[in-house]
Amino acid sequence: MKFTKITAAALAATLAMPAMAQDTKVIGVSIPAATHGWAGGMNFHAQQAVDRLEEVYPELDFVLATASDPAKQVNDIEDMLATRNISALVVLPFESEPLTSPVKAVADSGAWVTVVDRGLAQPGIEDLYVAGDNPGFGKVSGEYMVSAMPDGGDIVVFRGIPTTIDNERVEGFQEAIEGSGINILAMEHGNWNRDDSFTVMQDFLSKYDKIDAVWASDDDMAIGVLAAIEQSGRDDIQFVLGGAGMKEMVAKVRDGDPMIPADVTYPPSMIATAIEMTAVGLTSTAPVSGTFTIGSVLITPENAADFYYEDSPF
Amino acid sequence: MTATETQTRNVGRGVNLKVLGPILALVVLVIVGAALNGNFLSAANITNVLSRSAFIGIIAVGMTFVITGGGLDLSVGSMAAFIAGLMILVMNAMLPMMGPGWPLVFVGMLTAMVAGTLAGFVNGFLITTMRIEAFIVTLGTMGIYRSLVTWLADGGTLSLDFGMRSVIRPIYFDGILGISWPIIVFALVAITGELVMRRAAFGRHAAAVGSNDQVARYSSVNVNRVRMLTYVFLGILVGVATIMYVPRLGSASPSTGVLWELEAIAAVIIGGTMLKGGFGRVWGTVIGVLILSLIDNILNLTDGVSPYLNGAIQGVIIILAVILQREKKAES
């Protein structure tokens, strides 16, 4: 008797499943794994957005997958398409080239595609593109440097992992400081990494007797730079400008640390923007296709409180 | 093998190029560095280079024994990151009870040592008792430790409490008579390692096991025990390196210690230890470590080369160092 009941229940559930699947739409979210601070923040904001939206939209289901390399991300997306019958895909490509054709396959299947931050190699695949403004990030940083050093000066520049993102930022920065009397003594790759930047800054301090300021271009790198300056005991460096909006650095800006007078945002929460807009696009008649650029904002002691996220790991 | 070795020594009593190779390379690098930048030989720069070499150096000394014993350990970089994360977590957790001070630092050190010993034991156990290839075991544990630290850090960075950071800082930045602690510890580890390799039974056993484990077994060497000990020894040294590492930036993240395993292995091979095992040279490993970090330092001090090519230059020097040694061997 009991056995029959369970069988019947299971049978009913099995029969009901396809019916339910037709009512709910599944949004797949595929992002790089949390292997550095910014990606950690992005994972946090993605999870938060998914949790929130599942409550707001009972008709939406989310699949969140994190990949530690491009090949794994391709597998994730193929699995989503094959087994979860996704209606939309929100993807932050690990690398542009290898992800282009798998994402195109999703678009060809008729699903909505939102691409975040790093674009695909072929234009026109995505329905919605949400991204930070890399040239703008460099420009805002450069403009701040010019305003903080009106008489010019000698600076050293830290670059990230060699990528187009890094090139766009540096070009934006160089354009902004052109003709201002600010002289770049040297540029070196700190690879968005504390340890590497610590080492490079130690060597810069050996190489140059006077450095007026540092564009660390990233908060992780700024932490390494600060440790090297502190160790050397030198007082010629007036300030270090990081970027991205790590909460420890935002706190330093808020508290008026003279070495960290400002920061420039490149928010990892842009993934949440992308997921929210995709959900809106799937459930309402509001048009959301196109390009959504999230501007880089200068964080100063006045507005720092607005950019401090207590629970985020970044 | 032993015959060739003796021959080489006899032929090259005065000038044994196989032994001198790495030293010559180091001398050339120092001369090039000094010519390119006046500050290269300054006390501050030398201290910086030597201190930052200490992490890889301490690990590489342990790696010398593992490789000499015919093994390999790919997990040391991830292991260091995991131990660093664990050490920070334990210290942060104990802080409310113990308050910032040296007792808490010792708790942190103990955590690192115990975790290192256990991690080395796990690798050694799987390789010797469970008879799984060292390459496979340590490839597996490499992934495990890397994921664990990412998980512990919630994808972000584990940071030591700020008050505690100023207490622990001197371990990396201070020292005796102007020589910083990492340099002193590295030197002690290297000297001990060299003595154990040359004079102690364990060093000879490791070489015997790496050369031919069947023969070693018939010579009543406990092959499994020797292999196991090389991994435990390496694990302990990873713990020591981590104790030196954590005070520097007071943080651990998933990008901590990436590729340390390859740098340590490269240093060991540049120093003249044979990758297939059977012969190890600890002082050579020290030279190898110094060569690798000097290349980095010199490239940062000069503008001549595009930073995109740093990796290529290091690669060329690693390969050259090994070719140099092999040719000398063939001559004899």
Side-chain angles (χ1 to χ4, degrees):
Chain A
M1 187 62 205
K2 202 174 171 193
F3 175 77
T4 334
K5 236 183 197 167
I6 293 170
T7 321
L11 201 67
T14 324
L15 287 172
M17 279 263 270
M20 268 172 67
Q22 274 165 9
D23 297 332
T24 43
K25 286 180 175 169
V26 181
I27 296 182
V29 180
S30 169
I31 53 178
T35 49
H36 63 275
W38 192 86
M42 182 194 57
N43 276 256
F44 166 81
H45 286 289
Q47 190 61 56
Q48 287 242 310
V50 165
D51 290 348
R52 201 184 77 76
L53 293 171
E54 274 186 334
E55 301 231 329
V56 177
Y57 300 106
E59 70 271 37
L60 290 184
D61 248 356
F62 291 87
V63 197
L64 179 63
T66 62
S68 48
D69 60 76
K72 162 92 165 61
Q73 192 173 26
V74 171
N75 294 346
D76 286 347
I77 292 173
E78 283 173 354
D79 288 351
M80 283 179 190
L81 194 59
T83 64
R84 296 301 301 262
N85 193 25
I86 49 172
S87 308
L89 172 71
V90 180
V91 57
L92 198 156
F94 215 105
E95 278 172 27
S96 304
E97 298 285 344
L99 266 303
T100 297
S101 47
V103 174
K104 188 167 189 301
V106 176
D108 291 344
S109 80
W112 176 277
V113 171
T114 301
V115 173
V116 191
D117 196 32
R118 276 164 237 176
L120 297 172
Q122 194 183 329
I125 294 173
E126 69 271 10
D127 299 283
L128 171 65
Y129 180 50
V130 177
D133 181 6
N134 285 303
F137 177 91
K139 185 162 162 278
V140 172
S141 306
E143 284 166 352
Y144 177 77
M145 279 285 187
V146 174
S147 72
M149 302 166 69
D151 304 324
D154 294 324
I155 63 167
V156 289
V157 170
F158 283 71
R159 309 187 56 157
I161 294 168
T163 47
T164 47
I165 296 176
D166 180 60
N167 291 342
E168 285 174 10
R169 290 179 177 185
V170 173
E171 280 160 22
F173 181 80
Q174 283 172 316
E175 274 169 33
I177 63 165
E178 214 169 71
S180 67
I182 293 177
N183 171 39
I184 298 178
L185 289 170
M187 289 202 264
E188 189 73 44
H189 290 273
N191 303 322
W192 290 318
N193 177 301
R194 293 179 187 201
D195 290 323
D196 292 356
S197 308
F198 176 81
T199 309
V200 171
M201 190 63 198
Q202 277 191 331
D203 292 346
F204 277 160
L205 288 166
S206 292
K207 191 175 172 188
Y208 301 107
D209 293 329
K210 186 168 176 295
I211 299 169
D212 293 312
V214 180
W215 184 43
S217 85
D218 174 81
D219 290 336
D220 263 318
M221 295 203 284
I223 287 174
V225 168
L226 284 174
I229 294 173
E230 196 187 331
Q231 180 220 2
S232 72
R234 291 204 0 201
D235 52 10
D236 51 321
I237 297 109
Q238 296 157 25
F239 68 91
V240 176
L241 181 65
M246 179 190 291
K247 68 176 181 183
E248 286 85 359
M249 295 306 253
V250 175
K252 276 181 193 274
V253 175
R254 184 191 61 197
D255 302 340
D257 186 329
M259 284 302 277
I260 305 289
D263 201 18
V264 180
T265 61
Y266 194 81
S269 51
M270 67 175 69
I271 188 72
T273 313
I275 298 172
E276 297 245 3
M277 287 176 78
T278 307
V280 168
L282 238 57
T283 53
S284 79
T285 51
V288 292
S289 57
T291 299
F292 189 86
T293 308
I294 297 169
S296 281
V297 184
L298 189 70
I299 305 178
T300 58
E302 287 75 41
N303 65 3
D306 303 340
F307 296 96
Y308 187 79
Y309 306 106
E310 184 61 51
D311 299 331
S312 167
F314 183 70
Chain B
M1 175 52 226
T2 323
T4 331
E5 212 51 52
T6 336
Q7 235 175 24
T8 321
R9 279 201 195 134
N10 289 342
V11 171
R13 257 282 160 228
V15 274
N16 188 341
L17 277 171
K18 189 188 170 197
V19 172
L20 282 180
I23 302 175
L24 278 178
L26 185 65
V27 171
V28 169
L29 273 177
V30 170
I31 293 171
V32 168
L36 286 171
N37 193 295
N39 282 328
F40 178 74
L41 289 174
S42 69
N45 192 53
I46 291 175
T47 304
N48 286 346
V49 172
L50 290 177
S51 311
R52 69 170 85 128
S53 310
F55 318 130
I56 303 284
I58 292 168
I59 294 172
V61 169
M63 190 68 84
T64 312
F65 283 90
V66 168
I67 292 179
T68 303
L72 194 69
D73 194 335
L74 298 174
S75 70
V76 290
S78 304
M79 197 195 283
F82 172 64
I83 295 174
L86 205 62
M87 188 174 155
I88 289 170
L89 275 182
V90 167
M91 283 198 285
N92 282 349
M94 301 287 276
L95 187 65
M97 274 178 282
M98 301 182 63
W102 282 97
L104 188 54
V105 173
F106 287 120
V107 170
M109 288 178 168
L110 194 68
T111 309
M113 299 303 288
V114 170
T117 312
L118 284 178
F121 180 81
V122 168
N123 278 345
F125 176 79
L126 291 171
I127 290 161
T128 56
T129 311
M130 305 299 288
R131 296 176 167 281
I132 310 171
E133 272 302 314
F135 184 89
I136 299 301
V137 168
T138 58
L139 190 66
T141 47
M142 171 171 93
I144 293 169
Y145 294 131
R146 182 67 59 197
S147 312
L148 284 177
V149 71
T150 309
W151 176 66
L152 286 179
D154 203 4
T157 304
L158 287 165
S159 291
L160 193 57
D161 179 87
F162 216 80
M164 198 53 214
R165 218 181 281 188
S166 48
V167 177
I168 203 171
R169 231 182 96 85
I171 295 180
Y172 182 81
F173 292 101
D174 286 3
I176 317 172
L177 301 171
I179 304 169
S180 74
W181 286 115
I183 302 176
I184 296 170
V185 173
F186 179 24
L188 288 177
V189 166
I191 291 167
T192 313
E194 176 68 18
L195 287 176
V196 170
M197 186 66 91
R198 286 286 178 93
R199 305 258 175 257
F202 176 67
R204 287 194 299 273
H205 286 172
V209 167
S211 182
N212 188 329
D213 56 354
Q214 289 301 326
V215 173
R217 196 164 277 127
Y218 292 139
S219 319
S220 72
V221 172
N222 190 335
V223 171
N224 275 1
R225 190 170 149 270
V226 170
R227 282 231 165 96
M228 169 69 98
L229 275 178
T230 60
Y231 286 99
V232 173
F233 188 34
L234 175 56
I236 292 172
L237 287 178
V238 172
V240 172
T242 311
I243 292 173
M244 296 288 125
Y245 173 82
V246 167
R248 186 165 84 174
L249 294 169
S251 64
S253 73
S255 60
T256 298
V258 170
L259 293 185
W260 281 10
E261 58 283 339
L262 291 187
E263 270 188 62
I265 293 169
V268 171
I269 304 308
I270 291 174
T273 297
M274 307 236 281
L275 185 54
K276 62 179 172 21
F279 176 73
R281 202 155 61 188
V282 172
W283 67 262
T285 300
V286 174
I287 305 269
V289 171
L290 295 182
I291 288 176
L292 286 179
S293 42
L294 273 186
I295 297 169
D296 248 348
N297 181 239
I298 290 171
L299 289 172
N300 283 343
L301 288 176
T302 50
D303 299 315
V305 189
S306 161
Y308 290 145
L309 288 173
N310 284 11
I313 291 170
Q314 288 194 335
V316 167
I317 291 183
I318 292 171
I319 294 169
L320 271 182
V322 174
I323 289 176
L324 210 71
Q325 287 173 8
R326 188 185 304 157
E327 274 178 355
K328 294 299 164 293
K329 208 175 120 201
E331 274 169 28
S332 67

